[in-house]
Amino acid sequence: VTYLQDIDTEKRGFGTFYDELPLWSAPFGLLLLERVPLRRGWTYLDVGAGTGFLSLELAQRCGPETTVIAVDPWGRATARLREKIARLGIGNVRVLEADAAEMGLPDASVDAVVSNLGINNFENAGAVLAACHRAARPGAPLCLTTNLTGHMSEFYDVFRETLVELGRTDRLASLDAHIARRGTVLSVSRLLEDAGFGVESVHERAFPMRFADGSALLRHAFVRLGFLSGWKSVAGPESLEVTFQALEGNLNARARRDGELGLTIPWVCVEARRSAA
Ligand SMILES: C[S@@+](CC[C@H](N)C(=O)[O-])C[C@H]1O[C@@H](n2cnc3c(N)ncnc32)[C@H](O)[C@@H]1O
């Protein structure tokens, strides 16, 4: 019985594959895994799979008769997912390096669609959801998570004060547009309904993300990876450094006042279903 064989934790490279997912993705992914139906033999589509923790988890939780199709155009992430699949010996995840809007799956070939933190990263969310609708069988469930407008509002309040203080009121429209890019429950539901998925339930949540101060926040590796380029575009190329120095100082002042820099992440898990016809 192969599963009874011991796992060699001293094997070269073992530690690399012990890390399963970005910590940022975890709270969202855990609720998604609480809600999505788990069925042996189904075909799942994971849209914007990234390095694929959700695909791997579904493939293993549902068993080898299940297939998970992990779609993402990001080559480095799909390469990493392929390595994990090979290392873990998981035979039921199919990796598709593609824009999900053009993934070319046969019509009605998928039993369930999942997406963790995908929808507000898709340039063409409407086209991606339309492609998911084509690929999903009538009545297929869809379960997605996304963070919402209000995300890190404490940070954005200080950003706004800083721009005003520096006389950079010309950048406020850019700040507002950046904040509005994250959806609301209503806008996400509309996107789904427009693509032919009826929303069945909405689970709103929020979690705190704590930093000692603004200096720590701005230097955090995942913050730099996931958020800093958007913040730089709000500040604009002229006086970028001056803006960030002032922002860091103001965030640090707030942290001194409050004892830490606490940010709130509001988010939602939406369950929907492809129309039966
Ligand atoms: C925030 S990451 C989430 C990754 C993963 N689901 C997780 O929870 O860790 C968003 C992912 O969406 C992918 N993405 C962006 N546009 C896409 C598209 N048009 N089709 C499929 N995936 C896309 C990105 O490459 C990225 O891997």
Side-chain angles (χ1 to χ4, degrees):
V1 181
T2 50
Y3 71 79
L4 291 178
Q5 285 168 9
D6 289 341
I7 291 174
D8 179 6
T9 55
E10 296 308 315
K11 193 165 145 186
R12 197 159 180 268
F14 181 86
T16 329
F17 291 91
Y18 182 71
D19 296 346
E20 292 172 84
L21 79 166
L23 184 62
W24 166 250
S25 305
F28 308 89
L30 284 172
L31 182 57
L32 196 154
L33 283 166
E34 259 181 53
R35 306 299 315 181
V36 67
L38 301 180
R39 302 280 185 271
R40 202 170 270 274
W42 271 18
T43 298
Y44 290 83
L45 173 63
D46 181 4
V47 191
T51 53
F53 81 93
L54 181 59
S55 296
L56 295 171
E57 205 54 36
L58 282 172
Q60 296 178 93
R61 291 192 189 197
C62 293
E65 298 90 347
T66 292
T67 302
V68 182
I69 303 167
V71 185
D72 203 296
W74 181 18
R76 293 283 179 198
T78 54
R80 164 88 176 146
L81 174 54
R82 286 195 179 94
E83 279 182 87
K84 290 202 237 179
I85 289 168
R87 180 63 72 121
L88 298 168
I90 292 172
N92 54 336
V93 176
R94 194 178 132 207
V95 183
L96 256 185
E97 189 180 318
D99 177 338
E102 290 156 18
M103 63 194 154
L105 294 175
D107 287 359
S109 59
V110 161
D111 297 296
V113 181
V114 294
S115 186
N116 197 52
L117 293 172
I119 198 155
N120 73 20
N121 289 285
F122 304 154
E123 279 295 325
N124 45 357
V128 168
L129 289 176
C132 291
H133 187 267
R134 280 193 298 280
R137 65 164 166 80
L142 175 149
C143 190
L144 66 75
T145 64
T146 186
N147 47 345
L148 296 168
T149 304
H151 156 101
M152 297 189 181
S153 59
E154 302 86 347
F155 168 83
Y156 289 110
D157 288 348
V158 177
F159 206 164
R160 185 180 305 279
E161 283 159 27
T162 306
L163 291 172
V164 170
E165 200 177 283
L166 294 174
R168 302 295 317 278
T169 47
D170 57 313
R171 302 309 303 176
L172 292 178
S174 157
L175 177 68
D176 288 333
H178 174 80
I179 291 170
R181 265 192 28 231
R182 290 206 174 78
T184 59
V185 170
L186 191 64
S187 70
V188 173
S189 302
R190 270 215 187 112
L191 269 172
L192 285 165
E193 302 273 356
D194 288 351
F197 290 96
V199 172
E200 294 192 336
S201 64
V202 165
H203 311 272
E204 280 192 80
R205 299 279 189 280
F207 64 85
M209 209 174 171
R210 303 168 55 226
F211 296 83
D213 55 28
S215 300
L217 168 80
L218 293 168
R219 286 163 183 76
H220 186 289
F222 196 85
V223 169
R224 290 180 59 207
L225 174 72
F227 306 113
L228 198 67
S229 75
W231 299 345
K232 281 164 65 180
S233 68
V234 167
E238 333 78 58
S239 52
L240 182 71
E241 294 211 0
V242 173
T243 304
F244 271 84
Q245 271 162 14
L247 176 61
E248 185 174 345
N250 286 341
L251 289 166
N252 288 344
R254 186 177 169 123
R256 276 194 300 279
R257 186 195 73 188
D258 297 345
E260 64 179 39
L261 182 63
L263 307 180
T264 308
I265 315 293
W267 62 282
V268 71
C269 177
V270 181
E271 290 176 278
R273 191 170 297 280
R274 185 203 188 282
S275 46

